[in-house]
Amino acid sequence: QSVLTQPPSVSGAPGQRVTISCTGSSSNIGAGYDVHWYQQLPGAAPKLLIYGNTNRPSGVPDRFSASKSGTSASLAITGLQAEDEADYYCQSYDSSLSGSVFGGGTKLTVL
Amino acid sequence: QLQLQESGPGLVKPSETLSLTCTVSGGSISRSNYYWGWIRQPPGKGLEWIGSIYYGGSTYYNPSLKSRVAVSVDTSKNQFSLKLSSVTAADTAVYYCGTHFWSGYPNHFDYWGQGTLVTVSS
């Protein structure tokens, strides 16, 4: 059972918009700690997609965006492409556990 | 461009100690405000942070693994290491090393190694 809760799977057709939620609690996201997002392609290491709630590292397309509100955060992908098919993870800090915590991951399928 | 590479045995017997090393290239392990950490991913499952260390030696660990984990750093070799004792089959996973910014608390992992699969089996 992950500290941060994500839907196990989401899907969308090419060109569509999908969102992935990440729900935490008052000891992590709700406490104001930053949320980060990673993309993990099949057989590869995770890659930083969004940091500090809304910031994209250099090279990440602006089709990827994220937001945070209260005890939750959300990743949005617009103009869905076949290459976006991957697992997506959120991450934050939990003050009760005094450490980094990850969501359980969401598998994105491009139909 | 920072690069990280994990190395170590791919097979460990139950009850023994898993030992991995992460070699950092393209930059110094002594970078200010950055910690060096270990993350694992059991087959078909999600990511779990294990523990992290600063080049000066400060460490912090996942409470669920703290009694079995030790992370150390060797700045002369630009390496840091993981030891996980008393392993069981549940410790079978791909182990990643990574680096994350510290701003009073741990932030995002911006660089990751490619990962190494460690299987616990007799």
Side-chain angles (χ1 to χ4, degrees), chain A residues 32-34 36 38 40 44-46 48 51 89 91 93 97-100 102 104, chain B residues 39 41 45-49 60-61 63 96 105-110 112-114:
Chain A
Y33 295 110
D34 286 342
H36 321 291
Y38 302 87
Q40 186 176 34
L48 181 64
Y51 68 95
Y89 293 90
Q91 180 224 335
Y93 173 77
L97 299 174
S98 296
S100 295
F102 287 94
Chain B
I39 308 99
Q41 183 172 35
K45 296 188 178 180
L47 301 168
E48 179 182 37
W49 167 72
Y60 70 109
Y61 300 124
Y96 296 100
Y105 64 92
N107 276 265
H108 56 280
F109 286 86
D110 51 357
W112 295 66
Q114 65 184 27

Side-chain angles (χ1 to χ4, degrees), chain A residues 2-80:
Chain A
S2 300
V3 173
L4 303 179
T5 301
Q6 298 180 233
S9 63
V10 297
S11 62
Q16 284 190 332
R17 177 182 187 269
V18 296
T19 61
I20 298 172
S21 61
C22 175
T23 303
S25 67
S26 58
S27 61
N28 41 70
I29 299 175
Y33 295 110
D34 286 342
V35 179
H36 321 291
W37 292 89
Y38 302 87
Q39 177 192 59
Q40 186 176 34
L41 296 171
K47 168 193 164 186
L48 181 64
L49 199 62
I50 299 284
Y51 68 95
N53 304 314
T54 61
N55 303 295
R56 284 187 310 276
S58 174
V60 174
D62 59 7
R63 300 187 296 105
F64 295 90
S65 63
S67 62
K68 173 188 158 184
S69 178
T71 59
S72 295
S74 183
L75 172 71
I77 310 171
T78 59
L80 208 55

